[in-house]
Amino acid sequence: MIEIKNLKKAFGSKIVLDGVDMVIPHGETMCIIGKSGCGKSVLLKQIVGLLTPDEGSIAVDGQDILSLNKNEMFELRQQIGFVFQGAALFDSYNVFENAVIGMYEHGVKDINLLEEEAKRVLSAVGLLPDISEKNTSNFEKEWNILSNKKPSDLSGGMKKRVGVARALVGNPKYIFYDEPTTGLDPVTSEQIDDLVLDLANRFKVTSIVITHDIFSVYKVANNVILLNNGLVQFTGTADDLKKSSDPVVQEFILRYNK
Ligand SMILES: Nc1ncnc2c1ncn2[C@@H]1O[C@H](COP(=O)(O)OP(=O)(O)O)[C@@H](O)[C@H]1O
Ligand SMILES: [Mg+2]
C-alpha cells in the first residue's frame, strides 16, 4: 500500500504539487489524470526517490521513504517497476539487452540467469509464447528472432511491451506506468490497456497508471485521481468520475473524449 500525505513540490517559484493526499491499497490500479504539466510525472518520481518532496510524507508498505538510507532505498526500488514515458529503450541494444539491462547493471552477469529472466518477462508481456512452452523448439525459435531485434525493428506497441517487460524484471510488487498509451493508435492503446489489466490480475501487482486517455481510465482503473492546480481535484472510481458534476472533471472528460 502507498500512502501519500500533504505532498508539496515546487521548482523555484513554480508550485507543482501543493498538498496532495492519496492512498493506493494493495492490489489496486490507480489512474492519475490531469492536464499536461500538472505534476503527474513529478508525483511518480517522488515515490521512487528520483525527486525529493519539499514537504509531506510518502509511505510504501508502512515505510516512510524519506527516512530510508541509500541501501534501504535500493531495496525498495527493487519492489517497484517503472515504465517510463516513451519506451526509453536503448537504440543500440537488442531486445534481450534492453529487457534485462537493470539486472545486469545491478551485478548479475550470468548469461543463463539473464536469459532466463528475459524469457520470463518477454513472455509475460506477450512478445513470446507462454512460458510453459519454454523448452519447446517453437519458443526457442521465437526467442532467437525477438531477442536479437533492435528497437528500430519494433512497432510502437512492441517497444512499449519491451518497456513493460523491463519493469517486470525481478517480480516487483508495484508497477508504475507513465503514459503507457501516449503516441499509440487506438487499437494498440487498447492492447496495452489489456496488458496492464492482465499483469495486475496475474501478478497481483499494485499499479499506478498516469494517463491522458479517458478510455484507459474506464478500462483499467479501480480508482482515479484528477490533479489540478497542485491539488487532488477528484478522487473516486472511474464510474464516479463519469457521473461527476464537477466542472473541472467534466472539462477534462470532454477534452480527452476524442
Ligand atoms: N526537474 C525539474 N526541474 C524543473 N522543473 C520541472 C522538473 N520536472 C518537472 N518540472 C516542471 O514541473 C511541472 C510538472 O511536470 P510533470 O510532472 O512532468 O508534468 P506532467 O503532469 O505532464 O507529467 C512542469 O511545469 C515541468 O516543467
Ligand atoms: Mg508526464
Side-chain angles (χ1 to χ4, degrees), residues 78-80 117 120-121 167-174 203 205:
Q78 304 298 101
Q79 297 292 321
I80 304 174
E117 185 64 350
R120 188 183 72 83
V121 294
L168 283 174
V169 168
N171 250 324
K173 263 170 91 172
Y174 296 92
F203 295 101
V205 286

Side-chain angles (χ1 to χ4, degrees), residues 42-254:
V42 164
L43 175 66
L44 223 51
K45 284 176 184 164
Q46 291 176 98
I47 308 175
V48 293
L50 291 172
L51 284 172
T52 311
D54 298 334
E55 258 183 66
S57 66
I58 301 172
V60 178
D61 297 333
Q63 269 191 309
D64 174 7
I65 70 153
L66 300 173
S67 68
L68 300 182
N69 64 31
K70 220 176 151 188
N71 279 340
E72 291 166 334
M73 194 65 207
F74 180 82
E75 290 291 315
L76 175 72
R77 285 291 283 112
Q78 304 298 101
Q79 297 292 321
I80 304 174
F82 203 115
V83 183
F84 288 93
Q85 202 165 346
L89 302 181
F90 297 99
D91 290 335
S92 60
Y93 290 174
N94 64 28
V95 168
F96 162 53
E97 292 160 339
N98 265 295
V100 292
I101 176 80
M103 201 174 156
Y104 183 81
E105 285 185 340
H106 288 147
V108 180
K109 311 289 174 187
D110 180 330
I111 191 81
N112 292 322
L113 282 179
L114 291 165
E115 281 195 7
E116 189 88 349
E117 185 64 350
K119 285 175 182 171
R120 188 183 72 83
V121 294
L122 290 166
S123 165
V125 300
L127 289 171
L128 288 175
D130 194 274
I131 198 67
S132 62
E133 295 171 36
K134 196 174 66 176
N135 296 319
T136 65
S137 61
N138 182 48
F139 190 100
E140 270 308 305
K141 195 181 96 200
E142 300 240 355
W143 159 255
N144 285 328
I145 296 169
L146 176 75
S147 60
N148 289 305
K149 283 189 173 163
K150 293 280 176 69
S152 58
D153 303 323
L154 305 177
S155 67
M158 288 173 85
K159 281 185 206 167
K160 295 275 174 164
R161 282 178 199 269
V162 177
V164 177
R166 176 193 284 168
L168 283 174
V169 168
N171 250 324
K173 263 170 91 172
Y174 296 92
I175 305 185
F176 299 168
Y177 303 85
D178 197 346
E179 305 216 9
T181 63
T182 298
L184 299 178
D185 63 78
V187 173
T188 312
S189 290
E190 228 185 309
Q191 290 167 349
I192 298 296
D193 291 339
D194 286 334
L195 177 63
V196 170
L197 268 180
D198 180 48
L199 296 177
N201 292 333
R202 266 196 301 154
F203 295 101
K204 309 292 173 218
V205 286
T206 305
S207 314
I208 302 180
V209 183
I210 291 181
T211 184
H212 258 97
D213 190 335
I214 200 74
F215 294 111
S216 297
V217 173
Y218 295 151
K219 188 142 191 185
V220 307
N222 296 115
N223 281 296
V224 194
I225 275 182
L226 171 66
L227 290 180
N228 186 46
N229 292 331
L231 295 168
V232 174
Q233 177 82 29
F234 168 90
T235 176
T237 64
D239 228 32
D240 296 337
L241 185 84
K242 236 187 249 183
K243 292 180 193 144
S244 169
S245 56
D246 180 337
V248 179
V249 173
Q250 290 189 338
E251 192 206 326
F252 185 89
I253 293 176
L254 279 179

